[in-house]
Amino acid sequence: MEAAYARHPLVDRAKGGIMCFADGEMDRPVALVQVKEAALLAWAQEAGLLASGDCRSLEELCRDPKARRHALEALNECGRGRGGDRAGAGPPSLHAALGTLGSLGGGGGGGG
């Protein structure tokens, strides 16, 4: 699963990429996504999120429901393009969470 979704332009493979988790108790896998800052900021600019002042930092953008929905839809579209949700042919659709090194607890600075 991770290999298929990691190819998406929103996923920053150099800083951790994507981690997927699934088990028999879940209706679909979940993913933690290390976002590629430039790609998410470019989308946010086009979507008007930066101009509105709703998101002033990458961490705020990663928590924004519109950004999360965009990433989830984009990743699921990427999976469908690789045969996802078709009888064993590619990755299933996801639930996803966005993050940065700092917001996921892997980067410098305090936090917690």
Side-chain angles (χ1 to χ4, degrees):
M1 268 191 294
E2 288 150 342
Y5 293 117
R7 293 182 179 98
H8 193 278
L10 281 175
V11 178
D12 193 336
R13 291 186 284 175
K15 292 185 179 175
I18 185 169
M19 182 196 76
C20 299
F21 174 80
D23 70 19
E25 301 290 316
M26 302 166 67
D27 65 339
R28 67 187 69 180
V30 295
L32 293 174
V33 179
Q34 178 64 46
V35 297
K36 191 172 287 182
E37 183 173 354
L40 189 61
L41 289 173
W43 169 83
Q45 184 71 38
E46 289 178 24
L49 289 178
L50 301 180
S52 69
D54 290 343
C55 298
R56 291 169 294 284
S57 70
L58 184 61
E59 285 76 17
E60 287 179 356
L61 186 56
C62 287
R63 289 189 295 269
D64 184 89
K66 292 175 189 168
R68 288 179 178 229
R69 185 172 42 255
H70 165 69
L72 180 60
E73 290 171 357
L75 287 167
N76 281 329
E77 183 64 30
C78 176
R80 283 189 290 276
R82 289 179 168 70
D85 285 340
R86 281 194 238 139
S93 59
L94 298 168
H95 290 296
L98 301 178
T100 64
L101 282 176
S103 68
L104 291 176

